[in-house]
Amino acid sequence: MIYRHFVASLTFAGAARTVTGSKYLLEHQGQRVLIDCGLFQGLKELRLRNWDEFPVPPKSIAAVVLTHAHLDHVGYLPRLVNSGFNGPVYCTAGTAELSRLVLPDSARIQEEDARNANRHGYSKHHPAVPLYTEVDAQRALSFFKPVSFNRSFEAAPGIAAEFHHAGHLLGSAFVLVRLAGGPTILFGGDLGRYGRPVLPDPSDALAADLLLIESTYGDREHLIDDEGAALAEIINDTARRGGKLVIPSFAIGRVEEVLYWVRRLEIEKRIPILPVYVDSPMATEALRFYSGRVSELDPEMRPAQREVSAFSTERFQTIASTQQSKELTANRRPAIVISSSGMATGGRVLHHMAAALPDPKCTILFVGYQAAGTRGRTLVDGAAEVRIHGHEVIVRARVAKIDSMSAHADRSELLRWLGTFPALPRQIALVHGESGPMDALKASIAQKFGVTPMTPQHLETLTF
Ligand SMILES: [Zn+2]
């Protein structure tokens, strides 16, 4: 893309040919703005990149603009702050609220990892230090400047931006950036899905010269929605056996969808009314934020359309203290328990699982993606026993999985959204995907629209 003068550049500082670490450094007329500030997660080789020196001095960045509050989009921010960044962080109000939960939580995990490394002596660094601390996270949060959807604001002189609903998480947005005298760039963030409960559909795309679009599920079609049939079967089956249904769930986003479906099945009298417990302080806080912003959710979540509050079931209870959590673990009566973490790698859900797994009356239901190497994946793959808190726990409970609750658009949905552009951008860069899905989406876009997207490398720079 050649403009009259060389005025701007974009560097892919993360999520290039991988799904984490989203960071795009925009430089225009001497101003630097970073779009998203995500943590690299997963493989060690990727996680080590969190320790690399940032490509430019963080102090020289005028502002950060965030698409949404998932860690792979915001989790590097406290590190940027403890390396010198001290400018405004623009995001939607929902993203600011959820960041207040996820950033300090991430810092506590970083600090705990450093403590464990020191205790067991497995760090290269002596002493091991955390990537950032809770103090850094709180300082980062003090820089947040919430901005409304659909309203242009100046991120830095000559760089205007606006947020539009992405339908992927509370507050999630895609960002249209207009460079004075230069191109318009649409940062797609993570795109949600069409026709799902809780979150709105993604807004239609707006004219842009360059588009960055995620490709997480660029090679996949999600299962057709079953209107709650699989969940109803699992709840009925567990209730018939008189056991507990334990649902490991990500604290933010997924819990809301599970509660929506349980409530709907109750209203439609397709399941018995059971006590439903949310045992995760972070999930309880997130529920509060979701309930406080129903006007930003799917129209069907608005109070006028529902006779009960957005995320409540007939016999609903949140669990606060660890003492209450222990009592719930010991209680053998039939119930639905939703608790974190989603892949059973830690958190309170482990206690519920340790109690329920040996009991053939109970069911463990996984509702999210289970990454290789996690306890959740081991169970879904049919393990006969699993190690929890240093003990082998025998698996006699039913272990089930529902795949339909993904928060990312699949291939057809990505293509559908691309079809909402008034005219397709002349340049498309695929980001946030592994090479298989990315290549598949590249071929689909080329075939459908006659534009061949690029697939930038880590730290590649485009100039305009
Ligand atoms: Zn996301």
Side-chain angles (χ1 to χ4, degrees):
M1 196 184 305
I2 308 292
Y3 278 76
R4 266 170 305 149
H5 305 288
F6 168 81
V7 288
S9 70
L10 180 67
T11 301
F12 296 81
R17 303 189 183 192
T18 187
V19 291
T20 63
S22 286
K23 282 181 220 78
Y24 311 106
L25 180 67
L26 193 54
E27 300 182 73
H28 175 61
Q29 295 176 347
Q31 297 288 333
R32 289 181 167 141
V33 170
L34 186 66
I35 315 295
D36 274 344
C37 193
L39 201 62
F40 285 105
Q41 297 170 291
L43 297 172
K44 186 166 187 193
E45 164 199 339
L46 290 172
R47 281 184 282 122
L48 285 174
R49 282 189 190 161
N50 293 322
W51 294 89
D52 290 350
E53 199 172 329
F54 199 74
V56 298
K59 205 176 172 36
S60 70
I61 298 170
V64 171
V65 176
L66 301 174
T67 62
H68 65 289
H70 278 146
L71 268 190
D72 59 327
H73 294 257
V74 301
Y76 185 80
L77 196 61
R79 179 66 176 179
L80 200 72
V81 165
N82 77 16
S83 325
F85 171 74
N86 61 3
V89 177
Y90 296 105
C91 62
T92 67
T95 296
E97 287 171 349
L98 295 183
S99 297
R100 278 176 13 214
L101 302 179
V102 302
L103 291 183
D105 184 67
S106 170
R108 285 190 287 271
I109 292 168
Q110 304 283 348
E111 292 184 76
E112 169 132 13
D113 283 351
R115 269 197 302 275
N116 284 337
N118 286 326
R119 196 173 307 140
H120 305 296
Y122 57 66
S123 169
K124 282 194 310 203
H125 313 276
H126 298 287
V129 288
L131 188 64
Y132 51 79
T133 64
E134 211 173 331
V135 173
D136 299 322
Q138 293 299 347
R139 180 133 184 274
L141 290 167
S142 74
F143 297 149
F144 275 54
K145 299 234 175 316
V147 179
S148 313
F149 279 100
N150 311 318
R151 207 203 91 201
S152 181
F153 62 94
E154 187 179 72
I159 304 178
E162 59 193 60
F163 293 117
H164 296 271
H165 284 283
H168 166 74
L169 182 75
L170 178 68
S172 67
F174 57 81
V175 187
L176 189 71
V177 174
R178 291 192 177 88
L179 302 180
T184 298
I185 307 172
L186 202 161
F187 294 88
D190 284 356
L191 276 179
R193 305 183 54 197
Y194 288 94
R196 299 289 302 167
V198 184
L199 293 167
D201 289 357
S203 296
D204 286 354
L206 295 116
D209 301 297
L210 166 65
L211 164 70
L212 273 63
I213 182 171
E214 69 143 317
S215 49
T216 316
Y217 290 133
D219 62 344
R220 222 176 301 175
E221 303 293 344
H222 295 314
L223 292 177
I224 307 275
D225 202 356
D226 69 352
E227 296 295 312
L231 182 62
E233 183 276 318
I234 289 162
I235 293 173
N236 283 312
D237 173 61
T238 312
R240 217 174 294 124
R241 286 180 281 132
K244 245 189 207 170
L245 172 60
V246 176
I247 309 180
S249 176
F250 299 107
I252 295 173
R254 202 57 50 86
V255 171
E256 287 74 18
E257 190 162 350
V258 173
L259 287 174
Y260 164 86
W261 282 112
V262 173
R263 180 60 186 148
R264 184 160 149 191
L265 295 173
E266 284 181 349
I267 291 170
E268 294 173 356
K269 300 196 169 19
R270 292 160 67 191
I271 54 168
I273 303 294
L274 293 168
V276 175
Y277 299 95
V278 169
D279 185 6
S280 155
M282 199 191 326
T284 303
E285 279 290 288
L287 274 176
R288 218 162 47 77
F289 291 138
Y290 269 76
S291 304
R293 297 197 169 275
V294 278
S295 65
E296 292 181 19
L297 301 179
D298 191 278
E300 116 179 84
M301 304 307 292
R302 289 172 199 165
Q305 319 276 326
R306 291 172 65 90
E307 70 276 30
V308 289
S309 81
F311 302 104
S312 186
T313 63
E314 196 70 40
R315 293 173 64 194
F316 180 70
Q317 209 178 317
T318 56
I319 300 291
S321 68
T322 44
Q323 183 54 36
Q324 276 181 303
S325 180
K326 280 180 189 157
E327 284 165 18
L328 176 60
T329 306
N331 180 344
R332 315 296 289 176
R333 283 195 289 276
I336 298 173
V337 178
I338 305 166
S339 186
S340 300
S341 71
M343 298 192 215
T345 49
R348 290 183 181 181
V349 78
L350 291 186
H351 297 279
H352 295 294
M353 286 173 59
L357 278 168
D359 183 349
K361 296 199 293 292
C362 296
T363 301
I364 313 292
L365 169 63
F366 291 95
V367 290
Y369 177 73
Q370 302 299 312
T374 61
R375 214 178 260 110
R377 178 64 162 269
T378 309
L379 283 164
V380 165
D381 286 347
E385 51 181 32
V386 67
R387 203 167 176 82
I388 297 179
H389 298 137
H391 300 282
E392 290 301 333
V393 178
I394 194 148
V395 180
R396 290 202 191 89
R398 174 180 175 190
V399 175
K401 179 166 163 269
I402 290 180
D403 279 325
S404 60
M405 294 194 203
S406 173
H408 286 271
D410 63 14
R411 172 168 35 193
S412 299
E413 288 167 318
L414 291 168
L415 295 174
R416 176 173 168 182
W417 184 72
L418 284 171
T420 66
F421 272 99
L424 205 67
R426 282 171 291 155
Q427 272 194 311
I428 298 176
L430 300 185
V431 293
H432 203 289
E434 304 293 352
S435 55
M438 194 172 268
D439 290 342
L441 185 63
K442 182 176 169 176
S444 298
I445 292 174
Q447 192 198 18
K448 181 158 184 190
F449 298 102
V451 173
T452 302
M454 53 187 153
T455 53
Q457 303 266 17
H458 184 51
L459 295 178
E460 190 172 331
T461 298
L462 293 181
T463 53
F464 319 112

